Amino acid sequence: MRRLLLDTHVLLWWLADSPQLGPGARALIADPHNAVIVSSASAWEISIKKALGRLEAPDDLDGVVEEEGFEKLAISFFHGERAGELPPLHRDPFDRMLIAQAQAEGLDLVTGDRMLGQYGVKTVDALS
C-alpha cells in the first residue's frame, strides 16, 4: 500500500479525466490498495483561483473528494512551520505546503512538477 498526496493539478486532472494524467499515475490513484490523500491546501488553492476566474472546478469540492474515496489532510501548525523552513527552491506557497505535508506525513507526492523532487520528498511522476 502506498500513501499518495495529490498535487492540486493532479487532483484536477483526475476529476476531469484529463489525458494529461499519465497511465502509471492514473493506475496508482485508481488502485484501491493505495490511500489517496488531498490536502486542504489544494482546496484553498482551487477556491482562490476559481474565485478569480482562472480555473473551473466542481462547486462542492469537499463532497466530490469524499465521493472519490480520497482522504482529506488538514493543515497543522507543524505543517506551517515546516513549509516556512523549506529552502527557497520553489516560491509557490501551496506547493511548499504540499512538500511540507508529504515530508511530515511520509507521503509520496504525485505531481507533474519535477522541481518538487529537489526537496528530498518522494515523488510520483504524474505525467507517466
Side-chain angles (χ1 to χ4, degrees):
M1 177 178 117
R2 294 178 76 173
R3 298 179 66 227
L4 307 169
L5 177 61
L6 303 185
D7 199 341
T8 305
H9 62 273
V10 174
L11 171 63
L12 292 170
W13 290 347
W14 174 265
L15 295 177
D17 197 24
S18 171
Q20 291 178 280
L21 184 60
R26 187 177 301 278
L28 283 173
I29 295 168
D31 186 336
H33 296 103
N34 292 331
V36 180
I37 301 158
V38 177
S39 172
S40 298
S42 292
W44 183 19
E45 180 178 14
I46 290 168
S47 296
I48 289 172
K49 290 180 178 176
K50 189 175 172 187
L52 294 172
R54 294 176 42 201
L55 173 63
E56 288 191 29
D59 287 328
D60 181 21
L61 188 59
D62 184 54
V64 170
V65 167
E66 209 160 283
E67 285 174 16
E68 291 292 330
F70 298 162
E71 296 176 27
K72 299 172 201 162
L73 178 60
I75 298 171
S76 72
F77 197 87
F78 181 71
H79 295 149
E81 285 184 313
R82 291 285 301 258
E85 293 168 354
L86 289 171
L89 303 174
H90 202 291
R91 300 183 77 140
D92 185 312
F94 301 108
D95 285 341
R96 292 172 63 82
M97 178 54 69
L98 294 176
I99 292 161
Q101 288 182 306
Q103 288 176 341
E105 306 299 326
L107 306 172
D108 296 351
L109 180 58
V110 184
T111 183
D113 186 343
R114 290 188 172 92
M115 180 182 264
L116 301 187
Q118 294 179 24
Y119 282 97
V121 66
K122 188 170 181 186
T123 60
V124 173
D125 184 2
L127 305 173
S128 64

